[in-house]
Amino acid sequence: MDTAYSATVEDTLIQIVTPEGVRTAPTMYSELVDDITTDKLRDLYEDLVVVRRIDAEATALQRQGELGLWAPLLGQEAAQVGSARALEHDDFVFASYREHGVAYCRGVDPTQMLRFWRGSTQSGWNPYEYNMTTPAIIVGSQALHATGYGLGMKFDGAEGAVITYFGDGATSQGDISEAFGFAASFGAPVVFFCQNNQWAISEPVTVQTHTTIAERGRGFGVPAMRVDGNDVLAVLAATRTALARAREGSGPTLIEAVTYRMGPHTTSDDPSRYRPAALDDEWRRKDPIDRIERLLEREGAMDESFRACVEERADATAADLRRGCLGTVEPGPMSLFDNVYVDPHPLIAEEPEAYAAYLAGFEGAEKP
């Protein structure tokens, strides 16, 4: 397929599987996932279920006081799994703070996902081990980092592409606009993946824009497409399209994955204060896991044995997650100086000694 097209917006929502689990009429996008056999579709279903279970367990751990905070992804599993499974090893991910499903698909140990939220590390994992950054809390900043990294890949002649994730609310940040402009001007091999989950904390997406988010790419010369973010096959096809453009040197693409945040923005939030229950019910009927389960049932590929196997895998992952979280060793105060500089530095050599002496004096002081 020729992916070199002009800076336009595809406003038609790309969909391959309906909420009822029915395949739509064949299109250029459905052809891009012809390689997804029944076995691979079952693998995607397992990914969706396991990712949801990880999220549920982490939410429970936070409610029990074991995590300081957690950003749930309930309802957004297809957007994350579908896009992550389109990536190749050499591609690099710049995440926000909600891409736990992407991290799982990149091979990150679920326990490592929790260390940042538990406060037992300043990061979580080595980004170069998985070609994925750790959570970015500053909204939208990761899009600029992705653009810079993508330009570096282009100048170095490196293979691969870059993908960066953000929500609908982040599109109102200046960092996102700057990233769009820079990436378009210099042809950075970046896929901007917006998970439009309809809510930026308590504000609906209609406050962020009176057009589609995909439309915003046009002003910067960034081709864009809208995809049903609850359709894992459609997301997979759309992301493959955008990554192919990036790898062939055709520059950036914006993907708006239309999905819904079923839970709170973070565990410190109460969505019932600003969101009508009827809207939750409407989107619950579009659940990404139910959709693929219905498709598998229609195609005779879902039985109790397979379902039980997937649930067993999900429960085992959750048990490992909990065990790893509760067994995490809290960092000592001297770890503050780790990883500040790549090479030894005179200042870093002095400060730990002074801080260690301070701690020794503090610990040895008489208590009142």
Side-chain angles (χ1 to χ4, degrees), residues 168-169 171-172 198-200 202-210 216:
D168 46 291
T171 62
S172 292
Q198 312 302 312
W199 296 92
S202 60
E203 298 292 350
V205 68
T206 52
V207 174
Q208 309 299 330
T209 177
H210 290 177
R216 288 187 164 185

Side-chain angles (χ1 to χ4, degrees), residues 1-344:
M1 183 187 67
D2 182 9
T3 56
Y5 52 92
S6 60
T8 59
V9 171
E10 183 162 334
D11 290 316
T12 302
L13 200 66
I14 301 167
Q15 185 182 81
I16 295 176
V17 182
T18 71
E20 294 73 32
V22 178
R23 290 185 185 268
T24 60
T27 65
M28 59 177 284
Y29 290 103
S30 58
E31 293 174 359
L32 290 173
V33 290
D34 280 345
D35 63 309
I36 303 300
T37 61
T38 298
D39 286 343
K40 289 182 179 180
L41 185 61
R42 284 158 64 112
D43 289 343
L44 288 172
Y45 174 79
E46 180 180 292
D47 285 342
L48 296 172
V49 173
V50 172
V51 165
R52 178 167 293 186
R53 189 69 177 83
I54 289 171
D55 184 60
E57 193 68 24
T59 300
L61 283 164
Q62 194 283 327
R63 298 305 190 200
Q64 294 161 8
E66 300 296 342
L67 301 181
L69 192 70
W70 181 251
L73 59 75
L74 181 62
Q76 299 178 222
E77 296 89 355
Q80 296 195 18
V81 170
S83 58
R85 289 306 184 196
L87 298 170
E88 296 180 0
H89 174 75
D90 290 337
D91 298 329
F92 209 100
V93 178
F94 285 80
S96 69
Y97 43 77
R98 202 183 302 277
E99 280 70 56
H100 322 304
V102 179
Y104 171 76
C105 291
R106 295 300 274 176
V108 177
D109 183 338
T111 298
Q112 292 180 302
M113 301 180 201
L114 301 192
R115 290 174 181 162
F116 174 82
W117 304 99
R118 189 171 168 82
S120 59
T121 180
Q122 297 179 42
S123 180
W125 60 81
N126 180 351
Y128 291 107
E129 184 175 353
Y130 304 100
N131 279 2
M132 178 176 178
T133 62
T134 52
I137 299 300
I138 301 175
V139 178
S141 62
Q142 68 275 13
L144 283 173
H145 304 157
T147 300
Y149 190 93
L151 283 174
M153 292 178 69
K154 180 178 179 180
F155 294 152
D156 289 345
E159 296 183 358
V162 181
I163 188 169
T164 181
Y165 293 84
F166 49 89
D168 46 291
T171 62
S172 292
Q173 293 284 349
D175 285 4
I176 298 294
S177 293
E178 292 171 12
F180 284 170
F182 221 87
S185 295
F186 293 95
V190 180
V191 176
F192 295 103
F193 195 96
C194 176
Q195 294 177 83
N196 177 4
N197 64 18
Q198 312 302 312
W199 296 92
I201 306 184
S202 60
E203 298 292 350
V205 68
T206 52
V207 174
Q208 309 299 330
T209 177
H210 290 177
T211 67
T212 66
I213 290 175
E215 185 73 24
R216 288 187 164 185
R218 177 176 291 168
F220 296 93
V222 178
M225 62 184 79
R226 303 184 77 224
V227 62
D228 184 339
N230 285 12
D231 178 353
V232 69
L233 290 182
V235 173
L236 178 62
T239 310
R240 282 177 169 179
T241 301
L243 288 170
R245 292 193 70 254
R247 295 186 187 111
E248 72 187 15
S250 295
T253 303
L254 168 61
I255 297 176
E256 178 189 355
V258 182
T259 183
Y260 190 76
R261 168 169 57 80
M262 292 299 298
H265 176 70
T266 68
T267 46
S268 65
D269 170 44
D270 178 7
S272 66
R273 298 181 61 183
Y274 56 80
R275 199 169 68 190
L279 190 58
D280 289 356
D281 292 338
E282 175 187 341
W283 278 90
R284 195 169 287 113
R285 291 190 288 271
K286 305 175 184 178
D287 185 277
I289 296 180
D290 292 346
R291 183 179 310 209
I292 299 304
E293 183 169 347
R294 290 168 186 150
L295 174 62
L296 287 170
E297 288 173 346
R298 286 178 179 275
E299 299 185 352
M302 174 66 73
D303 54 37
E304 290 307 315
S305 175
F306 171 64
R307 186 180 281 107
C309 182
V310 171
E311 291 299 329
E312 183 180 349
R313 170 70 184 277
D315 289 344
T317 302
D320 289 342
L321 177 71
R322 174 171 288 270
R323 187 163 44 250
C325 175
L326 299 182
T328 298
V329 177
E330 301 301 321
M334 296 305 296
S335 67
L336 178 68
F337 301 94
D338 295 343
N339 305 314
V340 177
Y341 288 95
V342 174
D343 299 315

